[in-house]
Amino acid sequence: MENEIIQWIYQAAEKIKAALNDELVIDEKNGRTDLVTNVDKETQDFLVDKIRTYDPDAHILGEENGQDQTDISNGRVFVIDPIDGTMNFVLQKENFCIMIAVFEEGIGQLGFIYDVMRDDLFWGGPKLGKVFHNRKELPKPANTKLADGLIGMGVSLVTGENKFHTKEIGREAMGVRILGCAGLDFIAILKGTQNGYISRLSPWDYAAGIVMMQQFDMAFSGFQDQPLSFNGREFFKGGTQAVMSEITEYDI
Ligand code: IPD
Ligand code: CA
Ligand code: CA
């Protein structure tokens, strides 16, 4: 299955790169900072079509095209974020990812995060017992503390009120990074170039990332340590075991 998914991702990426030179059709979803383009929708349709041909019984949980309400816990579910970091895609034409995760009976089995413009694919999970960076196995990052690394934050946590102790957490860390693309934050955690990430995310933003974090025995949860709901946008925290226990002391 993983080889098919990798092929679909590479093919989808070629289409996205070709579309970078075309005029985009841009719509607002919930206000002027929440965008969707024709390329997001077309990419999801392309991936859904591939999945339906490969496994007609599979369910789809995808950000676009009204496929965002699927229950994660029944059967095989493909979770799709066709372009993660749409704002970066529109304004920077880089720093965006394609993300796919495969869950079976609610258990994450495979995750794929592809940084399209850097041609960098991170993939793996419990089904393979490994995580890969392109064709090379990725080593598990060190269990570093907040004070010894960089923490990623979702932009809304930084520009909004200090409800989640983001200021205190940011001051304790070596620095804060705001990448505008959850996929890139998860890549940084898997590589060990960031040791934590706090944000407000939807299931397709975190599905692929947590499957690979799980493989590395890293920790993640919702607000006040409850499991992620896979149902709508929610507070997300994740990182090394050390960072997660420190963040929890801030009572988030
Ligand atoms: C967004 C990005 C962003 C995160 C938002 C997501 P989208 O995804 O991952 O970094 O802060 O919460 O919605 O909408 O560009 O797929
Ligand atoms: Ca996303
Ligand atoms: Ca998206």
Side-chain angles (χ1 to χ4, degrees), residues 3 5 16-17 23 37 46 54 60 72 97 106 112 118 138-139 144 160-161 183 209 216-217 234 245 248:
N3 292 327
I5 296 173
I16 293 173
K17 283 190 273 187
E23 201 170 315
T37 76
F46 172 82
Y54 174 77
I60 310 277
I72 194 74
C97 296
F112 301 81
R118 290 184 186 84
L138 194 64
T144 53
E161 54 179 312
F216 282 158
D217 194 29
E234 63 195 304
S245 39
T248 299

Side-chain angles (χ1 to χ4, degrees), residues 57-229:
D57 295 331
H59 305 282
I60 310 277
L61 172 58
E63 179 174 14
E64 313 299 348
N65 305 336
Q67 292 175 299
D68 57 349
Q69 296 296 321
T70 308
D71 180 5
I72 194 74
S73 53
N74 291 321
R76 180 181 286 164
V77 185
F78 285 80
V79 188
I80 306 173
D81 190 339
I83 297 182
D84 178 51
T86 299
M87 186 66 83
N88 291 352
F89 171 65
V90 171
L91 295 180
Q92 301 182 319
K93 296 193 189 303
E94 61 183 355
N95 300 319
F96 58 89
C97 296
I98 298 171
M99 300 202 285
I100 298 181
V102 182
F103 280 67
E104 281 167 6
E105 310 302 342
I107 312 281
Q109 294 292 355
L110 289 169
F112 301 81
I113 303 177
Y114 185 49
D115 177 338
V116 174
M117 302 311 281
R118 290 184 186 84
D119 185 21
D120 249 351
L121 178 67
F122 293 78
W123 58 289
K127 183 170 185 286
L128 302 174
K130 290 175 182 173
V131 175
F132 295 91
H133 175 193
N134 296 320
R135 290 285 153 193
K136 236 174 123 187
E137 189 177 342
L138 194 64
K140 179 180 163 169
N143 185 21
T144 53
K145 289 166 53 179
L146 202 48
D148 296 327
L150 299 168
I151 186 147
M153 290 191 192
V155 68
S156 65
L157 297 191
V158 178
T159 55
E161 54 179 312
N162 189 26
K163 189 173 160 194
F164 300 108
H165 300 282
T166 49
K167 283 200 173 66
E168 292 86 341
I169 292 168
R171 278 189 209 120
E172 176 71 17
M174 287 293 274
V176 177
R177 294 293 177 270
I178 304 171
L179 306 179
C181 170
L184 290 180
D185 281 290
F186 283 109
I187 286 176
I189 286 178
L190 295 166
K191 286 181 1 186
T193 57
Q194 281 175 201
N195 58 10
Y197 178 42
I198 53 181
S199 191
R200 291 189 64 85
L201 299 177
S202 297
W204 41 85
D205 296 317
Y206 58 65
I210 61 168
V211 170
M212 289 186 273
M213 285 178 73
Q214 216 160 6
Q215 183 57 44
F216 282 158
D217 194 29
M218 299 177 107
F220 49 83
S221 72
F223 189 61
Q224 290 174 333
D225 305 333
Q226 78 275 36
L228 296 162
S229 72

